[in-house]
Amino acid sequence: MNTLPNRLILQKYLRHNVHFPHIWCPGCGNGIFLGALLRAIERTGYHRDQIVLVGGIGCIGRATSYVDFNTVHTAHGRALPFATGIKAANPALKVIAIMGDGDAVAIGGNHLIHACRRNIDVTALVVNNFNYGMTGGQMSPTTPEGARTPTSPGGSIEEPFHIADLAACAGASFSARATTFHVREMESLIFKALSRDGFSMVEVISSCPAHYGANNGAKTPVEMMRWQKEYSVPVDKAAALSPEERKKMIITGIIAEREVPGWTEKYRATLDGKREK
Ligand code: SF4
């Protein structure tokens, strides 16, 4: 259900007079992601009072300040514990945790894998720009091997996490990946994630031209977008690639989808003494 033109969706949900201008750099992918999220929320039909957005720390963590829902800006890495508590206390709410890659799989990595394992009824949206943009572009757990950052000036020597695959392996009932170049696909995957019970996650590969791009030969937002376009492959076509070829690519689409009971339903049944032994 998409009831409003796109520009009116932005009008409807942004806190225009409170927290603007925003802090994001020109050409950052965060605004593209936020627009897609607002359109996806509008399609779900939820009233704004039914939505809770929980953000962590980092550039994308500021998104919660800019939108007119119930919002919480929490500590670094702790968006998912806050989201879990909110959902357990009031299962009628649609709870969305917005995190960056450092937030989700570095300091908050333990929370992420256990939220997946428990199948908590929360939608996690992880905006992965491959570095710690807010503090100067340092290497993160998703920085690709060989990529240069201020803390890996000779190129990273580490294997990165692939967040959507990590979530799928840890038990998430829905896990997907999109890029800020493929904006319609991103919106559609976020809508699917919001429409489900259980733990759903969308990893969004995003542009950080100010740091990651500048350190790795893509100084302009256009070059970063071109890189996302050229190095993306849908999950069905990726099956034909060799392991070495897959390592270089961004594999987009649904990585895992399974129907398993969500944690909230089992938790409420236990509280009510109705759970089958
Ligand atoms: S530092 Fe990077 S991720 Fe942060 S706002 Fe600027 S471009 Fe975006």
Side-chain angles (χ1 to χ4, degrees):
M1 183 178 64
N2 201 347
T3 54
L4 289 173
N6 288 346
R7 71 186 164 78
L8 294 184
I9 292 172
L10 294 183
Q11 288 281 345
K12 179 175 175 182
Y13 292 120
L14 290 182
R15 288 174 172 149
H16 298 274
N17 301 321
V18 186
H19 289 292
F20 281 75
H22 61 73
I23 63 159
W24 295 329
C25 307
C28 177
N30 289 349
I32 301 171
F33 158 76
L34 188 59
L37 171 61
L38 297 181
R39 292 191 296 277
I41 287 174
E42 176 71 11
R43 279 173 65 190
T44 64
Y46 281 107
H47 187 272
R48 70 177 80 211
D49 291 343
Q50 295 173 286
I51 302 273
V52 184
L53 286 190
V54 186
I57 297 297
C59 298
I60 194 59
R62 296 296 283 266
T64 53
S65 306
Y66 303 144
V67 288
D68 192 14
F69 302 103
N70 302 294
T71 59
V72 195
H73 193 185
T74 70
H76 198 197
R78 311 301 173 219
L80 283 171
F82 278 84
T84 301
I86 293 165
K87 186 69 186 178
N90 188 347
L93 295 170
K94 174 55 75 178
V95 183
I96 304 166
I98 299 180
M99 301 168 279
D101 44 295
D103 217 15
V105 292
I107 192 165
N110 208 20
H111 300 307
L112 177 72
I113 58 173
H114 289 291
C116 295
R117 175 182 66 80
R118 291 166 165 158
N119 201 25
I120 303 277
D121 299 81
V122 165
T123 297
L125 303 174
V126 184
V127 179
N128 180 4
N129 61 13
F130 302 122
N131 72 156
Y132 288 93
M134 183 171 259
T135 51
Q138 298 88 345
M139 184 177 147
S140 87
T142 61
T143 302
E145 192 170 0
R148 293 175 191 275
T149 72
T151 46
S152 59
S156 168
I157 56 170
E158 298 180 7
E159 279 283 336
F161 272 143
H162 301 283
I163 302 175
D165 302 87
L166 178 68
C169 292
S173 64
F174 181 87
S175 174
R177 183 181 295 110
T179 80
T180 49
F181 176 81
H182 302 91
V183 65
R184 294 279 174 217
E185 182 185 28
M186 173 178 33
E187 181 185 325
S188 163
L189 290 170
I190 293 172
F191 174 73
K192 276 195 176 123
L194 293 174
S195 303
R196 295 178 54 92
D197 293 328
F199 188 83
S200 57
M201 198 197 74
V202 182
E203 175 188 5
V204 175
I205 304 297
S206 183
S207 301
C208 176
H211 296 298
Y212 186 79
N215 287 319
N216 291 285
K219 287 196 171 81
T220 68
V222 172
E223 286 172 304
M224 289 231 76
M225 283 295 191
R226 196 172 289 133
W227 171 78
Q228 288 181 22
K229 180 184 175 197
E230 288 174 3
Y231 282 89
S232 292
V233 59
V235 67
D236 52 338
K237 292 198 175 137
L241 300 179
S242 69
E244 282 310 305
E245 289 170 322
R246 285 171 66 93
K247 268 178 86 169
K248 295 182 204 148
M249 303 302 286
I250 303 165
I251 298 173
T252 60
I254 297 175
I255 307 298
E257 187 171 25
R258 41 192 169 236
E259 294 304 326
V260 281
W263 179 89
T264 312
E265 187 187 320
K266 292 193 279 186
Y267 176 63
R268 301 310 295 191
T270 301
L271 288 185
D272 295 343
K274 292 181 185 159
R275 183 125 188 247
E276 286 179 21
K277 298 278 189 263

